[in-house]
Amino acid sequence: MDIVWYLVLSALIFSIGAVGVLTRRSPLVVLICLELMLNAGNLALVAFARMTGTADGQIFALIVMIVAAAEVVVGLGLIVAMYRNRVPMDVDELSELRG
Amino acid sequence: MEAAAFWFAAPLAVAGALGIVLQRNPFYSVLALVVHLIALAVLFLLLRAEFLAAAQVIVYAGAVMVLYVFVVAYVGGLEDPLTEPSPALRALAVVFCVALLAELSVAIAGSGLKALDTHGPELEAGFGSPAQIGELFLTRFLIAFELVSLLLLIAAVSAVVLARREHEQPAASPQADSRVADRTG
């Protein structure tokens, strides 16, 4: 397969993820859609690594995966804390998360 | 063969992505994400990133998804949008993302990279293997490797701090901060 197909697929997945981040209201689903966008970036990085024939892009993708894992841990911790404090699970209501 | 695998995995990945966005129930969104991640792992294999594909399945589809499923089960599948966002805003978001896709496509087509329309160069046998990735991590990308391990430590500690059960109302910041520092450090 030509490399360009992978890049087009990556752009498509990134856009779908952006739709999710902009339209969904549950913070959990927004986190999942962020994950989707990060994965689209990963796919582009790996495709470019294949294109240049060096593994540097794969290292970048691996580090993006680790950053995404850290983001998920903190995000889910926040969601659990919000649930405990009975904050409504709606991103519009979360515009002021103070104390 | 490679084309067949691509045209199998790529629609699956897009379908998983659409499933995440369109499902009302967050639980189904998480399951769609698993499908999406496994399809992406197949694509990584096609791009000769063996180690990355394995890490994707184990770390994402394994560990991170279990975390998501636990949190969805804990918080409950309360999707019901409390207030339906105005259709105009939703349409605006979709228009924005279609524009984003068009812009990205134009950027790809206009990049002028000659190698985009090829399969990429011929690669030696060990490309993308754990040995090569490990060697790069411990030589050229050593600083990034160390920083990432620090980041993981910070994330683990912060998850414990965030999800801790509070018995008293959290005090104003200075005492709370020192208390947290005492417990974790």
Side-chain angles (χ1 to χ4, degrees):
Chain A
M1 284 312 293
D2 292 347
I3 301 292
V4 69
W5 285 107
Y6 292 96
L7 294 181
V8 170
L9 178 66
S10 152
L12 185 60
I13 293 173
F14 189 86
S15 305
I16 294 173
V19 172
V21 171
L22 289 177
T23 57
R24 296 302 298 261
R25 305 172 71 73
S26 156
L28 250 172
V29 182
V30 170
L31 264 186
I32 297 176
C33 292
L34 275 178
E35 205 74 17
L36 209 58
M37 294 170 79
L38 285 167
N39 268 309
N42 264 353
L43 183 60
L45 284 173
V46 177
F48 281 126
R50 179 74 182 84
M51 189 184 91
T52 56
T54 57
D56 295 9
Q58 296 189 12
I59 300 275
F60 288 2
L62 210 53
I63 290 179
V64 170
M65 270 170 69
I66 296 167
V67 171
E71 168 239 317
V72 164
V73 165
V74 175
L76 291 181
L78 275 176
I79 288 174
V80 168
M82 277 157 50
Y83 180 72
R84 287 234 180 91
N85 292 320
R86 296 190 173 66
V87 179
M89 287 286 169
D90 185 336
V91 283
D92 279 354
E93 312 271 333
L94 297 179
S95 48
E96 40 198 50
L97 263 190
R98 225 172 295 158
Chain B
M1 177 61 204
E2 195 197 343
F6 179 85
W7 289 117
F8 170 74
L12 204 60
V14 173
L18 284 176
I20 293 166
V21 176
L22 298 179
Q23 287 292 342
R24 284 234 164 271
N25 188 337
F27 197 74
Y28 293 141
S29 290
V30 174
L31 294 184
L33 183 56
V34 174
V35 172
H36 172 78
L37 291 174
I38 291 176
L40 270 194
V42 173
L43 292 174
F44 285 171
L45 275 182
L46 288 179
L47 288 167
R48 301 281 307 271
E50 304 157 20
F51 177 70
L52 209 56
Q56 172 100 349
V57 171
I58 293 171
V59 174
Y60 260 124
V64 174
M65 282 310 103
V66 170
L67 203 60
Y68 266 118
V69 170
F70 267 126
V71 171
V72 171
Y74 179 72
V75 173
L78 35 90
E79 173 48 23
D80 323 325
L82 303 173
T83 51
E84 193 66 38
S86 68
L89 272 183
R90 179 165 288 199
L92 197 66
V94 173
V95 166
F96 169 76
C97 292
V98 170
L100 182 68
L101 177 61
E103 187 186 341
L104 285 173
S105 304
V106 168
I108 293 168
S111 67
L113 291 169
K114 297 276 189 298
L116 277 185
D117 290 326
T118 66
H119 299 243
E122 288 300 317
L123 299 169
E124 71 276 24
F127 186 76
S129 64
Q132 193 193 10
I133 301 283
E135 194 189 328
L136 277 173
F137 256 135
L138 291 179
T139 52
R140 282 185 53 204
F141 296 96
L142 184 62
I143 295 177
F145 182 64
E146 295 298 335
L147 284 178
V148 147
S149 56
L150 193 63
L151 178 73
L152 278 179
L153 178 68
I154 293 170
V157 171
S158 68
V160 172
V161 171
L162 280 171
R164 190 182 39 156
R165 196 176 288 279
E166 293 272 4
H167 287 296
E168 69 282 324
Q169 202 62 22
S173 44
Q175 292 105 329
D177 283 348
S178 63
R179 204 178 58 217
V180 166
D182 286 344
R183 279 193 201 174
T184 55

